[in-house]
Amino acid sequence: FKHSTRCPISSRAAEEVKDHEWKSPVYWVNVIEERPMSDWVSKETGVTHQSPQLLFFKDGKVVKTLSHSDICEENFSGF
């Protein structure tokens, strides 16, 4: 989960991520404080940076991405 600590939309999305019972670990990147890591994630995955942004991986590859208001419980099925 790529989170901006300065953005109210990201704060809302962060609550959705925190409240969900995930089947797999969730890795959290605060994009302001951890810019090199955020940039690395974009480069390595080929997924254009957005914030907030939730990337879903399977077998080491991104299989789904959600950003902004799409980050909500109803879109987390299967993960």
Side-chain angles (χ1 to χ4, degrees), residues 16-61:
E16 292 279 336
V17 172
K18 287 178 189 175
D19 290 345
H20 184 70
E21 289 189 34
W22 297 99
K23 295 178 184 177
S24 299
V26 174
Y27 298 94
W28 198 283
V29 178
N30 288 328
V31 298
I32 304 294
E33 297 83 0
E34 301 170 303
R35 178 61 64 190
M37 176 60 76
S38 176
D39 291 343
W40 180 86
V41 170
S42 294
K43 181 181 175 194
E44 290 297 312
T45 63
V47 176
T48 301
H49 168 76
Q50 296 186 56
S51 178
Q53 185 175 48
L54 189 58
L55 290 83
F56 297 86
F57 290 83
K58 182 174 182 177
D59 300 324
K61 298 187 190 250

